[in-house]
Amino acid sequence: MNKGGPGGGGPTAAAAASVAQKQKTLLQKVEGDIANIVDNFSYIVNVARVNDPPVRNSQEAFMMETRAARMVQAADSLLKLVSDLKQTAIFSGFASLNDHVEQRRIAFNQLAEKTDHTLSMIGEKAAASLKELESNYSSSAQKTIQEIQP
Amino acid sequence: MDEGMELQLSLDKLPIKRLDSIEENGIERFPPDVDYDEKRTSLIRRIDFAWAIEKDEEKKKQKKSSKEPATPWQWQGMVENLQLAHQELSVIIDLINTVEANDAVTVASMTKPKSLPNEALSDLAVCAATKLQCYRKVGKYFKQSAKAFEQQVAREARFYGALIRLQQNWKVKRQRQTSIVPGNEGFTFDLFDNSYDQGAIIRSSLMSTVRVNHDAAGMLAINVSPELCHSLQFGFVGAQPDDMQKKSNENKSHLPDEDSSDETGIESSRDEECVKKTHSLLRDVHKAIFNEQVFDLLNREAFSASTGFTLTGIRENYLQLSLGQGTSVYLSLASSGQDHPTVEGELTNNADNAVSPLESSDILMHDAQQNTLKKKGQNSNSTCYEIYIQQIYHEHIFGRGSEKPISSGNRLSGAQANDGSSLLGHFSMSLSHRIFSSKILAELENVVFKVPYLQLISNPTWYSRGSSWTLFMEVPPSILRGCQIKASENATKRQFWTKVVVIDDCINVKAEGSPNVSGLFKGKSVDTHSINQYDCNLADLPVIILQQVASQIINWLYHEALMVGIKANRDFLCLSFELEQGETLALVANVDPEDNDGCISWSLVMEDSFAEVQKLHTNNTDDASEYRKFLGPLSLDLLYATLIDLISFVSGGGGCQ
């Protein structure tokens, strides 16, 4: 599983070592949390037996609450770990980011060329319309003036 | 103790030995010593439980006697049991107190009496119920936590989803802070482009880093103050303010309406809207930074004397520049919805004072129309200039497409003395060229309006400092067209053109000039006529154009005469025929741009050697003299007919009329 560190096996040995260390730490943390959850849950399940002295029962009730809280804590820390990993993957995945940026750049350049082309077409059409209008105007003005003059 | 109970007292004998009996011989007999155990037992026995037992029996009797009431209270049994328990407990407490008080009696051992099966079961049931309760509580707690986690995960998913989508277009930076407020992971959008001038970072740093926050629903939100989003405004001082309002209204960003309907159904569309809204906000900030950079650069360049602009007014985010010739412009950075009032007392642009050739019906209405058109033209032009400034700055910094920028790095300093290479210099030249060319266009339109056989064709140059027009005249076909020699068929010109090219403020007129006779037979129009080319200024332009047109007409008539075989002489604006008695009959053109009836008027002049001498002595300018007949402005057909008449007159003998 790629943890998305600085390039995963970077150019220097130190970077690779730190990545490996980080990966190990994360794995340990994950395992610790999961073991925590499993232990606490199994305790809670085991304590289901009803004992005769009521004192033991209240003690067990308190322990259950404590262990439930611990389970939730462990789950929370797991979730945090997951979101940390997500963040790292999103914001440090330079290869994919670079690819994406390159794609966008090409797309935008194409869009810019297309826009330039459209603009020049508009310009040509405007010039053609202008010519047409001018010739229409000339012919109409001539007729008007010729009617006025005998 | 109940009040109804009777108080009973028992008196103990003092624990002294009492004489039991005395015998006759004086021996005293005492009662035997009580053994310790026996003493203890007797003390215990003295505790009287009879009253409790009696009470029980009484209660049982009462119960039996009182079974008659039909509906007993449902808790009655429990109350009685509790009371009994209470009594037993009080007995025990008394016993314990007695044991405590008397050291004669101590507790030997305590054993729980063997509980009855139902008691054991009820104990077990209570424990089980308690435990079940506990489990239920834990279960509820787990459900709550799970729900909270799910919500958090969903919220994070939405947040990061939005952030990823925005990251596709914007640079996202993360700051790992030690003391991060929960909910703020330290993400920022970096909107500053490294292509900009490094010295300008200070101005835009406030806006260039936008923090990513969470809104109330946990969704991504950014806080951008709308006052920081500036837009560049360019305008002419004294222009009408209506269009300014329209422009500022366009710049306002419209926020999407808050939808308070059911969330679950449209959550994804809301996310979509949120991303779009954020995207457009970031784009606004990005544009504002760009506008600030443009303004900054122009601000710095405005103080240089070589740009062509003179700085006449300066305020915060506002520059007023004078271009000369009564034209003042302003550049400002305005927040959305805010306009800068212009400085009073500046002259407006007097670019166009001539009458527009659009309609000739009502002069007054037509002036008003023309003024509004001019102002509207200026206002639409001011938008053009805004866009133009932004475009040239953009090319300057970023280059065009994949090309390198025109200049790179930190290059725009006062050391640039060359007008052409500074942005503001180029812009000022473009602006002054546009104003100048609109004046030229007005003059040309005026001329074309007055001379009916002239046509004006615009030639768009797509260059901001160059304009070009062609004045175009089409002459009627020759009578003798059918009889023309083949070789000269192509040389028969039906169209004459005059081209006016303006680069910056230099007017260059290029036109077909006198025809080259030898070229008549070559068949190429280029060789048929020479090309005149010369510069002129605005005031002389109409005259020069008219003179050029008139000379072209003269050339055409001369050519036509030659075609017929009549020998004619051609001067600049005069076509003369020789008559038999040494007289010359000339057709003379007279140009006057102010003439409203047609700027080119014609006269017939008859001259003989005697008349020439007379002219030297007298200043006879009477048009009605026998030697000069004023014909007025003639159409080309009429001119041609006149020529034919002249030719027939000349060839018919040249006698007197």
Side-chain angles (χ1 to χ4, degrees):
Chain A
M1 186 163 81
N2 184 17
K3 295 292 179 180
T12 61
S18 73
V19 163
Q21 181 62 34
K22 202 173 170 188
Q23 192 168 351
K24 200 172 156 190
T25 318
L26 286 173
L27 274 174
Q28 277 176 359
K29 199 171 167 198
V30 164
E31 279 169 13
D33 280 335
I34 293 184
N36 195 357
I37 292 177
V38 166
D39 282 343
N40 289 325
F41 189 70
S42 51
Y43 175 82
I44 288 176
V45 168
N46 284 336
V47 137
R49 182 196 175 89
V50 177
N51 295 306
D52 287 335
V55 170
R56 187 110 184 255
N57 285 335
S58 58
Q59 177 195 1
E60 283 169 354
F62 178 69
M63 283 305 292
M64 269 167 61
E65 282 181 16
T66 312
R67 285 180 188 256
R70 276 195 207 158
M71 273 175 71
V72 166
Q73 236 176 11
D76 189 35
S77 109
L78 270 180
L79 278 176
K80 275 204 172 60
L81 190 138
V82 166
S83 77
D84 256 350
L85 284 175
K86 275 186 195 169
Q87 279 181 25
T88 314
I90 290 164
F91 299 106
S92 306
F94 292 124
S96 63
L97 276 178
N98 287 342
D99 282 343
H100 185 76
V101 164
E102 190 63 28
Q103 277 175 19
R104 296 298 277 172
R105 192 183 68 83
I106 291 171
F108 284 138
N109 276 341
Q110 283 176 353
L111 191 64
E113 280 171 18
K114 201 168 141 193
T115 312
D116 282 340
H117 179 66
T118 312
L119 277 174
S120 59
M121 268 180 54
I122 289 172
E124 283 166 14
K125 281 191 181 165
S129 305
L130 182 62
K131 256 195 172 66
E132 203 182 311
L133 285 169
E134 279 173 343
S135 60
N136 281 340
Y137 164 68
S138 308
S139 50
S140 70
Q142 268 187 338
K143 285 179 188 161
T144 313
I145 299 292
Q146 277 175 359
E147 281 168 17
I148 291 171
Q149 284 181 352
Chain B
M1 303 222 327
D2 290 346
E3 284 179 350
M5 285 184 68
E6 292 172 356
L7 193 62
Q8 291 178 349
L9 292 173
S10 62
L11 298 173
D12 292 339
K13 287 184 188 164
L14 287 175
I16 48 174
K17 284 196 175 169
R18 294 177 196 279
L19 197 60
D20 200 7
S21 64
I22 295 181
E23 290 184 354
E24 288 176 354
N25 52 8
I27 296 171
E28 295 169 347
R29 300 235 179 240
F30 291 100
D33 280 336
V34 182
D35 196 8
Y36 180 72
D37 286 333
E38 286 176 6
K39 219 197 260 183
R40 201 172 64 182
T41 315
S42 68
L43 279 174
I44 288 169
R45 281 201 188 113
R46 285 187 58 223
I47 298 175
D48 184 14
F49 292 102
W51 59 272
I53 295 167
E54 280 171 12
K55 231 184 179 181
D56 281 347
E57 286 176 359
E58 276 177 19
K59 284 226 173 108
K60 278 181 193 166
K61 281 178 195 166
Q62 278 177 12
K63 246 196 237 176
K64 283 176 193 169
S65 63
S66 68
K67 267 188 186 172
E68 277 85 64
T71 55
W73 184 38
Q74 59 177 339
W75 303 111
Q76 187 68 34
M78 193 164 145
V79 166
E80 285 164 6
N81 286 337
L82 284 171
Q83 281 174 348
L84 288 173
H86 176 67
Q87 284 165 10
E88 286 180 20
L89 272 173
S90 54
V91 161
I92 292 167
I93 288 168
D94 282 345
L95 172 61
I96 291 170
N97 289 337
T98 313
V99 166
E100 248 183 320
N102 295 321
D103 56 359
V105 179
T106 58
V107 177
S109 66
M110 276 202 299
T111 55
K112 195 174 164 194
K114 192 176 175 190
S115 52
L116 301 168
N118 64 338
E119 285 179 7
L121 281 173
S122 64
D123 280 346
L124 207 61
V126 163
C127 288
T130 315
K131 201 147 246 188
L132 182 65
Q133 197 65 28
C134 216
Y135 271 102
R136 281 200 180 131
K137 218 163 79 174
V138 167
K140 223 191 237 177
Y141 173 62
F142 278 151
K143 271 189 191 160
Q144 271 177 2
S145 310
K147 199 170 165 191
F149 281 150
E150 269 175 15
Q151 282 177 356
Q152 188 184 344
V153 165
R155 238 193 350 242
E156 273 194 8
R158 285 172 62 205
F159 177 79
Y160 284 116
L163 196 54
I164 288 168
R165 288 172 64 184
L166 288 169
Q167 196 199 16
Q168 289 176 357
N169 292 319
W170 304 103
K171 199 180 350 179
V172 177
K173 281 189 174 166
R174 181 163 61 146
Q175 295 161 353
R176 293 176 187 272
Q177 299 163 8
T178 50
S179 60
I180 296 179
V181 175
N184 179 14
E185 292 87 0
F187 289 113
T188 57
F189 287 108
D190 184 11
L191 294 171
F192 195 78
D193 200 321
N194 291 331
S195 312
Y196 290 144
D197 201 0
Q198 294 300 312
I201 288 177
I202 303 159
R203 189 191 169 93
S204 302
S205 62
L206 194 65
M207 284 203 304
S208 62
T209 308
V210 176
R211 194 116 72 105
V212 175
N213 293 323
H214 292 262
D215 65 357
M219 190 52 190
L220 187 143
I222 55 175
N223 290 330
V224 171
S225 162
E227 287 93 32
L228 288 178
C229 289
H230 295 122
S231 61
L232 194 67
Q233 280 187 5
F234 174 87
F236 291 94
V237 173
Q240 292 191 357
D242 314 321
D243 293 332
M244 300 298 171
Q245 286 299 323
K246 284 183 203 165
K247 274 202 285 187
S248 64
N249 283 337
E250 283 166 9
N251 287 336
K252 279 181 189 161
S253 59
H254 295 282
L255 301 176
D257 293 326
E258 288 293 327
D259 201 348
S260 58
S261 59
D262 186 21
E263 279 190 24
T264 54
I266 54 165
E267 208 174 69
S268 60
S269 62
R270 279 179 73 184
D271 288 353
E272 188 82 27
E273 271 177 25
C274 175
V275 169
K276 272 188 191 164
K277 182 181 138 198
T278 313
H279 190 69
S280 62
L281 272 176
L282 285 170
R283 179 62 189 146
D284 286 340
V285 175
H286 198 227
K287 279 196 286 197
I289 292 176
F290 178 75
N291 288 333
E292 278 192 1
Q293 296 297 315
V294 174
F295 186 79
D296 227 19
L297 175 66
L298 295 174
N299 206 353
R300 277 179 280 150
E301 286 194 355
F303 290 97
S304 154
S306 59
T307 57
F309 277 119
T310 311
L311 187 64
T312 54
I314 183 163
R315 285 208 294 270
E316 188 193 352
N317 289 345
Y318 180 83
L319 270 183
Q320 190 161 315
L321 302 161
S322 162
L323 194 57
Q325 304 162 24
T327 310
S328 261
V329 299
Y330 71 86
L331 263 169
S332 72
L333 273 184
S335 308
S336 51
Q338 175 195 351
D339 293 315
H340 282 276
T342 57
V343 175
E344 298 288 335
E346 291 287 340
L347 297 172
T348 56
N349 187 5
N350 294 321
D352 195 356
N353 288 325
V355 175
S356 161
L358 289 177
E359 284 171 3
S360 57
S361 52
D362 190 357
I363 299 294
L364 280 176
M365 166 92 109
H366 164 93
D367 272 350
Q369 273 180 4
Q370 194 236 324
N371 279 336
T372 52
L373 279 169
K374 177 180 80 173
K375 293 262 169 73
K376 272 187 188 169
Q378 277 189 3
N379 288 337
S380 62
N381 275 345
S382 63
T383 317
C384 293
Y385 293 128
E386 260 175 46
I387 295 172
Y388 185 57
I389 289 177
Q390 289 172 334
Q391 189 213 342
I392 54 178
Y393 180 81
H394 195 271
E395 277 179 19
H396 193 87
I397 298 290
F398 298 111
R400 183 190 284 271
S402 53
E403 293 171 7
K404 284 184 187 172
I406 295 167
S407 47
S408 60
N410 206 354
R411 62 262 139 222
L412 297 163
S413 56
Q416 297 247 350
N418 195 359
D419 273 351
S421 59
S422 84
L423 218 66
L424 199 60
H426 177 71
F427 180 69
S428 76
M429 302 200 69
S430 305
L431 186 59
S432 50
H433 171 79
R434 287 289 289 270
I435 294 169
F436 187 61
S437 67
S438 61
K439 290 179 189 167
I440 292 173
L441 181 62
E443 294 289 337
L444 292 176
E445 282 177 346
N446 193 20
V447 165
V448 168
F449 178 64
K450 287 177 184 168
V451 180
Y453 41 83
L454 264 185
Q455 295 175 22
L456 178 67
I457 296 175
S458 305
N459 306 324
T461 58
W462 309 121
Y463 177 51
S464 62
R465 282 155 61 175
S467 313
S468 163
W469 296 272
T470 304
L471 287 146
F472 177 71
M473 176 173 64
E474 192 163 338
V475 296
S478 169
I479 293 173
L480 306 174
R481 200 169 62 173
C483 312
Q484 283 166 6
I485 317 169
K486 267 192 194 173
S488 63
E489 198 171 327
N490 291 333
T492 307
K493 288 282 293 176
R494 299 250 356 253
Q495 298 165 350
F496 293 92
W497 53 264
T498 305
K499 209 165 179 185
V500 177
V501 175
V502 184
I503 307 275
D504 283 333
D505 55 355
C506 301
I507 307 175
N508 180 277
V509 179
K510 192 166 147 185
E512 289 175 305
S514 52
N516 191 354
V517 177
S518 59
L520 277 172
F521 300 94
K522 284 182 188 171
K524 284 186 188 174
S525 61
V526 174
D527 296 334
T528 309
H529 297 269
S530 62
I531 307 289
N532 293 337
Q533 186 169 346
Y534 36 87
D535 294 339
C536 74
N537 57 3
L538 181 62
D540 297 334
L541 182 65
V543 172
I544 289 192
I545 298 281
L546 289 168
Q547 283 177 352
Q548 190 61 47
V549 170
S551 75
Q552 284 173 346
I553 295 175
I554 296 285
N555 287 337
W556 163 58
L557 292 173
Y558 174 73
H559 174 67
E560 290 293 318
L562 281 185
M563 290 260 284
V564 176
I566 299 294
K567 183 176 170 238
N569 293 325
R570 181 186 49 160
D571 201 351
F572 179 45
L573 289 179
C574 168
L575 183 69
S576 56
F577 302 93
E578 280 186 8
L579 299 176
E580 285 182 359
Q581 285 86 20
E583 293 166 335
T584 52
L585 183 61
L587 189 61
V588 178
N590 180 37
V591 303
D592 179 14
E594 304 299 322
D595 186 10
N596 281 333
D597 292 331
C599 302
I600 305 177
S601 51
W602 300 89
S603 314
L604 264 180
V605 176
M606 172 90 82
E607 282 179 3
D608 53 9
S609 51
F610 177 67
E612 279 186 21
V613 172
Q614 229 185 13
K615 261 193 198 167
L616 286 171
H617 291 302
T618 62
N619 288 327
N620 192 4
T621 54
D622 191 1
D623 286 338
S625 75
E626 58 202 58
Y627 297 103
R628 180 185 285 266
K629 172 83 176 151
F630 181 68
L631 300 173
L634 300 175
S635 67
L636 295 179
D637 291 322
L638 277 175
L639 267 175
Y640 190 68
T642 311
L643 176 73
I644 297 300
D645 287 344
L646 281 176
I647 287 170
S648 58
F649 176 73
V650 165
S651 59
C656 305
Q657 295 182 1

